[in-house]
Amino acid sequence: MPEHDVTARTPVAIIGGGPVGLALALLLDAQGVPCVVFDEGDASFDHPRGNTHNARTMEHYRRLGIADPIRALGLPEHQATDVVYFTRYSGYELAALPMPSGAEKRKAVASAPADDQVPEPLHRANQMYVERFLVAHARTRPRITLRYGVRIDEIQPDADGVSVRHAGGSTRARYVVGCDGGRSLVRRSAGIAYTGERTLDQDILGRKATAAYLRLPTLRRDLLGGRDAWSYWAVNADVVVNLIALDGADEFCLLTSSLDPDAFDAGQLVRIVRSAAGTDLPVEVLGHRAWTPGAALVAESFGAGRVFLAGDAAHLFTPTGGFGMNTGIDDAANLAWKLAAATHGWGGPGLLDSYSAERRPVALRNTAAARALNQNLGAIDRPAALDDDSPAGAHARAAAAALLGTLGEQFASIGVQLGARYDGSPVIRAEDGDTPPPDSLTVYTPSGVPGGRAPHLWLDAGRERGSSLYDRLGTGFTLLRLGASPPDGAALCAAAADRGVPLTVLDVPGPVGRQLYGRPLALVRPDQHLAWRGDRLPRDAGALLDQVTGAG
């Protein structure tokens, strides 16, 4: 893009080049829509942030053809991803929550039954590694223009588009999406406020906290005995520290509320790490930042006119549970196809309005779940005797272990990951009497009731690329014809052709898919959510299509 005072044009301008903005750009590219990504940073991504790419996010990466290279990032494939709690790293182990390695997850997928619902298991890789990959991949896509090091000064929407003003001039966009974080210029320009809770008043990951990037060359070898894990907690009367393994060797991300980030002192941080370790191990501080645990903030609206919000600009999470970035990428999946439909001319006037109606309730649900999980940490008791080699110490450790053993639900949140639903959306057509499955943090129940994620199905004996139902869905809508002799879909195909709506027909002849979906016909949206199902097409197939594309 030019760097002098001219006006360039693009269908979509994305403000914020973190993982949500980059995912949105890649999803738009897959729909044939050019975009420009602006970010005032330099794309170095040199500080650890989120570590969890959940099962739904990995499905989106699979759609983009990048799940496998992302799985190659982060911890070594054979390293267990356990969560382990110690009094100190040289002291007593209080509890351990076993978690599988990447290799074990791959093996489980290879032997999964046809109706298994997790084709892409959760992956642990720090966000900074994945961001670097996403930038490099986006640079290979000719429809994506990346403009890092450009600060946006002003967003000016009008009836025909949006002017994005910056030091290099102005970019004229049909739509603008703010993926620019908790202090979003886009959200403030649109006059949209956050509502919700800002922090938690507790000693363990409450109030203000510090995240630090550390190199600890002797920790794993000398104190942990090579103990493989992803998350190592030290919990004692003096400090509480969580060390998250980044590379399986000597690099870690530290999270603690035992250090005031407003008065950061590297020497004090080193002392806290050594207190957590119980010995004077070498500590190299590579970076640090402040963060606020306990936040559960959601924007009052996710869009106004031609301006939309996604990711932290729309919702701010406490990191517990790893829901924040993943909810943002699911935002991008919902918004991308709707922007594409509007750009290509087949989306109706109500389609983009459905973005906020569908995604805001999910954000409220997910931020509340993360805050509740974070509150659970505040119940951990840390008596002075916890470290003692004494009957009192043994009793205190047993009590702590019993409580810590109940915290596993934050690491088993498959209901949050896959269970988002858009019931009541104006672009979903459900039948009278359809009952969605109960919502759950830890249980995902596949359902053919429109509004939820289309139930997954392996279509052949292989478990490779092309074997998943999701691999065979079209980039637009897909009509599934399920079972041995499903009804004809010709009327819907004709209506789609008349309206320019992209529609693929996919026959799934076996009994398993018919049982999962509960009807012989099901219409899947581009974001893999179910728009409609039925025993036969409605008499007016065009009216159905008009509704689910926002034209009805």
Side-chain angles (χ1 to χ4, degrees):
M1 300 290 289
E3 293 296 333
H4 51 282
D5 190 14
V6 298
T7 298
R9 295 182 180 275
T10 183
V12 181
I14 299 169
I15 316 302
V20 175
L22 290 166
L24 177 58
L26 290 167
L27 289 162
L28 286 169
D29 172 69
Q31 295 277 346
V33 177
C35 67
V36 181
V37 180
F38 294 95
D39 194 291
E40 61 183 309
D42 61 4
S44 60
F45 302 115
D46 56 1
H47 192 91
R49 292 185 182 272
N51 292 274
T52 300
H53 303 262
N54 74 20
R56 186 65 178 137
T57 292
M58 293 305 300
E59 289 175 357
H60 295 316
Y61 292 157
R62 184 184 184 110
R63 291 171 60 200
L64 294 168
I66 58 176
D68 288 344
I70 285 176
R71 287 197 184 279
L73 304 173
L75 297 179
E77 185 184 39
H78 292 282
Q79 177 164 330
T81 58
D82 298 356
V83 179
V84 190
Y85 300 88
F86 301 89
T87 56
R88 300 180 198 265
Y89 299 125
S90 61
Y92 296 95
E93 182 174 317
L94 295 170
L97 304 176
M99 305 283 173
S101 68
E104 289 168 334
K105 292 175 184 176
R106 190 178 71 248
K107 184 178 179 181
V109 169
S111 60
D115 61 352
D116 184 71
Q117 293 303 306
V118 190
E120 290 288 349
L122 175 151
H123 178 57
R124 304 289 190 192
N126 196 268
Q127 186 174 314
M128 67 178 180
Y129 302 143
V130 176
E131 285 170 325
R132 293 170 192 166
F133 169 82
L134 292 175
V135 166
H137 183 61
R139 292 193 195 281
T140 70
R141 310 304 302 169
R143 281 187 287 261
I144 300 175
T145 301
L146 300 181
R147 299 199 62 189
Y148 285 89
V150 176
R151 183 174 63 88
I152 301 305
D153 297 317
E154 190 177 22
I155 304 292
Q156 288 188 329
D158 55 50
D160 300 317
V162 187
S163 294
V164 180
R165 304 194 183 280
H166 44 81
S170 176
T171 296
R172 185 73 175 163
R174 188 173 177 186
Y175 303 101
V176 165
V177 184
C179 303
D180 50 341
R183 298 179 180 179
S184 170
L185 168 70
V186 177
R187 189 186 67 251
R188 288 183 280 114
S189 296
I192 300 172
Y194 276 147
T195 61
E197 303 290 341
R198 295 189 173 272
T199 189
L200 277 171
D201 185 15
Q202 62 187 42
D203 291 335
I204 299 178
L205 296 192
R207 296 187 288 272
K208 296 178 180 179
T210 297
Y213 184 15
L214 305 178
R215 181 171 289 118
L216 305 173
T218 65
L219 174 70
R220 193 166 175 271
R221 182 194 68 206
D222 294 350
L223 298 186
L224 301 175
R227 174 78 153 87
D228 277 347
W230 164 68
S231 174
Y232 302 89
W233 285 81
V235 179
N236 56 67
D238 300 321
V239 297
V240 178
V241 162
N242 183 15
L243 287 177
I244 296 172
L246 299 178
D247 61 355
D250 62 355
E251 291 193 1
F252 295 85
C253 177
L254 171 145
L255 302 176
T256 186
S257 290
S258 298
L259 176 66
D260 183 356
D262 293 337
F264 179 80
D265 178 274
Q268 185 183 2
L269 175 59
V270 171
R271 289 190 291 273
I272 285 172
V273 175
R274 290 174 174 167
S275 178
T279 187
D280 288 345
L281 79 171
V283 179
E284 183 180 356
V285 180
L286 304 176
H288 69 91
R289 63 182 177 87
W291 59 285
T292 304
L297 296 171
V298 178
E300 293 174 325
S301 168
F302 282 19
R306 295 179 176 270
V307 177
F308 300 91
L309 306 174
D312 286 355
H315 40 68
L316 207 57
F317 282 73
T318 186
T320 312
F323 301 154
M325 182 202 72
N326 293 287
T327 302
I329 289 180
D330 217 20
D331 293 340
N334 184 293
L335 182 57
W337 75 270
K338 296 174 180 177
L339 289 170
T343 301
H344 294 316
W346 56 266
L351 187 60
L352 283 169
D353 289 343
S354 73
Y355 169 63
S356 185
E358 291 184 345
R359 290 304 300 169
R360 190 170 184 274
V362 174
L364 291 168
R365 162 195 186 251
N366 291 3
T367 53
R371 182 175 166 85
L373 292 174
N374 201 84
Q375 284 176 306
N376 292 342
L377 298 173
I380 300 173
D381 191 21
R382 298 178 290 135
L386 198 61
D387 278 320
D388 292 351
D389 183 10
S390 67
H395 177 76
R397 288 190 292 276
L403 176 61
L404 292 168
T406 68
L407 299 183
E409 62 180 8
Q410 68 172 294
F411 308 107
S413 59
I414 196 66
V416 171
Q417 295 174 47
L418 301 182
R421 296 192 55 86
Y422 303 145
D423 300 311
S425 167
V427 294
I428 296 290
R429 183 184 288 191
E431 299 176 1
D432 291 341
D434 268 344
T435 303
D439 196 16
S440 168
L441 175 72
T442 57
V443 176
Y444 167 68
T445 303
S447 171
V449 174
R453 165 187 177 266
H456 178 258
L457 180 68
W458 292 108
L459 297 181
D460 57 39
R463 298 294 182 265
E464 306 299 329
R465 181 74 182 171
S467 297
S468 167
L469 171 71
Y470 295 166
D471 298 336
R472 303 191 195 180
L473 298 176
T475 56
F477 282 83
T478 302
L479 178 65
L480 300 180
R481 299 177 66 243
L482 300 144
S485 54
D488 184 74
L492 192 67
C493 293
D498 287 345
R499 291 159 173 78
V501 176
L503 176 68
T504 299
V505 177
L506 179 62
D507 288 347
V508 184
V512 178
R514 176 66 175 79
Q515 292 165 4
L516 274 173
Y517 282 80
R519 301 287 189 278
L521 296 176
L523 186 62
V524 183
R525 307 189 325 180
D527 60 359
Q528 299 174 339
H529 277 251
L530 274 174
W532 168 86
R533 69 172 180 175
D535 291 316
R536 61 190 60 81
L537 287 178
R539 182 172 301 172
D540 188 345
L544 167 63
L545 208 58
D546 287 343
Q547 179 178 348
V548 300
T549 59

